[in-house]
Amino acid sequence: MTTTADTKTEAPLVRLTDAGKNYGSIIALQGVTLDVGANEVTCVLGDNGAGKSTLIKILSGVYQPDAGQLLIDGAPIRLATPRAALDAGIATVYQDLAMVPLMAIWRNFFLGSEPTKGWGPFRRFDSDKARQITRKELLDMGIDIRDPDQPVGTLSGGERQSVAIARAVHFGARLLILDEPTSALGVKQAGVVLRYIVQARDRGLGVIFITHNPHHAYPVGDRFLVLNRGRSLGDFAKSEIPLPELTRLMSGGAELEQLAHELELRST
């Protein structure tokens, strides 16, 4: 399939062009271009070692690219630290979710950004406000938690993912990067997370959904970037690639077909 791209009349929310990253003689990423618009889910697919983690860390300010350029709203930017990425509106939800299992949901929601009340030496954590905001933000995402005081470790995997997504939205994320959010979940919980991804998109965010599962990506994705060994195999709009072709491309179907052909020749 020929790689094509939609014609866009305005700059995307985030654009990464010809990105490259090496570790000594190892090429982790080479010549990768990625566009993400607001109200859009871009799925980045690839097997282990495809370069997905390196791509995430460049966009989140953990790594600096050795080549390429990052633009936000059409303006070049250098994200020197993860804090700089957050200030630019890029929030990353990693697989470990950065949560403390024994702490309450509302404490985890505001971990590191606690609202306060009072002045000077009398300033203290405004726990009532934190509880109210946590419940409201989760309700806005369609999540009706039983009790904001329950430990976050008592939630299901899908519920913990939803808390992390709602937290990122509340703190002003414009681009939400989700690192394999459905990889350790069952079918039902994966479906719950996919619904929250759609809700985040519908609230105006750009979403990058990192996954190795095309069956999770295809229902929610608007665009699909397929990586293999640090290089792009194509960037497709949903209208340009059906699910079977996406699955074949992502899983190395061409290599398997070649192997099957070679084995057939040997048996004749």
Side-chain angles (χ1 to χ4, degrees), residues 36 71 82 123:
V36 186
L71 301 96
R123 185 181 297 273

Side-chain angles (χ1 to χ4, degrees), residues 27 131 186 191 230 260:
I27 300 174
R131 286 185 177 90

Side-chain angles (χ1 to χ4, degrees), residues 56-199:
I56 291 174
K57 290 176 180 177
I58 288 174
L59 292 170
S60 59
V62 176
Y63 292 161
Q64 303 304 308
D66 297 323
Q69 186 179 45
L70 178 64
L71 301 96
I72 296 181
D73 296 324
I77 188 171
R78 180 178 182 273
L79 301 177
T81 64
R83 180 75 258 177
L86 285 171
D87 291 342
I90 299 175
T92 303
V93 178
Y94 293 101
Q95 292 183 56
D96 61 11
L97 301 178
M99 291 186 179
V100 182
L102 295 179
M103 289 177 62
I105 296 171
W106 61 272
R107 291 295 300 270
N108 273 279
F109 194 93
F110 284 97
L111 193 63
S113 302
E114 292 82 358
T116 60
K117 60 182 178 181
W119 300 93
F122 302 104
R123 185 181 297 273
R124 60 195 183 280
F125 187 4
D126 192 343
S127 57
D128 290 337
K129 181 178 180 180
R131 286 185 177 90
Q132 292 170 5
I133 292 175
T134 298
R135 182 177 286 279
K136 178 183 182 301
E137 290 295 328
L138 291 174
L139 280 173
D140 287 346
M141 290 288 292
I143 309 158
D144 187 8
I145 57 173
R146 296 177 291 276
D147 179 7
D149 284 298
Q150 72 184 97
V152 79
T154 63
L155 300 178
S156 69
E159 288 171 329
R160 288 196 296 272
Q161 284 283 353
S162 68
V163 171
I165 293 171
R167 180 174 64 184
V169 172
H170 172 72
F171 285 106
R174 300 178 63 207
L175 173 66
L176 181 61
I177 304 173
L178 301 173
D179 178 21
E180 300 275 7
T182 61
S183 63
L185 303 180
V187 174
K188 183 176 180 180
Q189 288 298 320
V192 169
V193 173
L194 295 178
R195 289 190 184 93
Y196 296 143
I197 290 174
V198 172
Q199 289 178 16

